[in-house]
Amino acid sequence: MLEQAGRKKRVLVIIFCQADFPCMEWHESGVDGIAVMKKKIGFAAAIALVALAILSTRYYEVGLPLWHFLGGGKGPDPAALHLRGEFVESNLGAAEGPEGSLTVRMIAQQYVFVPQCIIVPAGVPVRFRITSADAVHMLSFLGTDYGLKAVPGTVTEANFTFSKPGEFKIPCHEFCGAGHYAMRGQLDVVPQDQFSSLRPGERRTCEPR
Ligand code: CUA
């Protein structure tokens, strides 16, 4: 017994000196020392797990900008949507392309859709392009089978045709934070001739201005 206590080992231990800053220490460990060391390792592992959990929930705030900074992302930079690229404000809403094709561009962000209200003609295929400025959001066009996922750093595209005129609410269907349940936009589907009688500025959005 005496012999055992007398035998000491030098053991390298990684501990967290500050909240999340790991550093290493050499320990002279007897039998008691090893028990203390095991506790320290357990504590360090617990902190590492918590840090990992926090990082994973903050992926879109920390990981994604970092990913873009390193040149990994090909999609739009969620932090710079209003500055450059196809999602600058003047380019949002419904826009007519060549040969009368119609594209709607939208941004989803906590806790609104931009534009909040969009207007499209009935019976015409409409190309939707949407991205997110922060978390993942899910648009569903209430009363239809159509839905669109808005993912930061990615453009989701889909073609929808709304056969009849009407007003469709667009609630967010993916939990995205405290204001999730209040996050909703609107889609106004109008007869084709009514849509074409609108001035170009009025076709972009049905938001009052
Ligand atoms: Cu956006 Cu839920």
Side-chain angles (χ1 to χ4, degrees):
M1 195 58 197
L2 266 173
E3 260 177 41
Q4 211 179 15
R7 253 195 290 134
K8 295 210 167 182
K9 280 185 184 167
R10 267 166 74 80
V11 192
L12 184 66
V13 185
I14 300 175
I15 58 164
F16 285 78
C17 301
Q18 281 162 4
D20 54 358
F21 181 76
C23 58
M24 291 174 214
E25 266 180 19
W26 282 105
H27 273 255
E28 289 282 346
S29 298
V31 178
D32 287 350
I34 286 176
V36 171
M37 189 186 72
K38 276 186 179 165
K39 267 191 187 165
K40 279 193 176 176
I41 290 178
F43 182 66
I47 289 197
L49 269 178
V50 169
L52 211 72
I54 290 174
L55 263 182
S56 65
T57 59
R58 293 272 174 251
Y59 172 70
Y60 292 112
E61 284 161 47
V62 182
L64 209 79
L66 194 69
W67 175 242
H68 267 272
F69 178 75
L70 297 173
K74 287 203 182 67
D77 179 353
L81 294 177
H82 57 296
L83 297 177
R84 55 179 175 267
E86 71 168 290
F87 292 95
V88 292
E89 200 187 342
S90 60
N91 214 24
L92 297 178
E96 274 159 303
E99 295 145 32
S101 68
L102 199 65
T103 301
V104 170
R105 287 186 183 83
M106 288 177 89
I107 297 175
Q109 63 185 66
Q110 289 160 326
Y111 298 97
V112 289
F113 296 110
V114 188
Q116 193 70 15
C117 185
I118 45 179
I119 186 164
V120 299
V124 175
V126 181
R127 189 164 70 124
F128 282 81
R129 285 176 67 76
I130 185 165
T131 189
S132 165
D134 37 52
V136 174
H137 306 272
M138 175 84 193
L139 292 76
S140 59
F141 296 91
L142 225 61
T144 73
D145 297 333
Y146 299 150
L148 267 176
K149 201 163 200 165
V151 182
T154 308
V155 180
T156 306
E157 187 177 303
N159 286 289
F160 299 142
T161 304
F162 297 89
S163 51
K164 287 190 203 110
E167 286 182 7
F168 299 89
K169 295 284 177 221
I170 315 176
C172 178
H173 262 211
E174 176 92 26
F175 184 77
C176 53
H180 160 71
Y181 296 101
M183 185 172 174
R184 53 174 56 210
Q186 183 166 324
L187 171 78
D188 284 359
V189 181
V190 299
Q192 256 186 77
D193 51 346
Q194 186 185 330
F195 186 81
S196 41
S197 71
L198 295 170
R199 280 176 284 135
E202 295 171 325
R203 293 177 199 177
R204 303 201 71 91
T205 172
C206 48
E207 277 173 295
R209 45 170 129 196

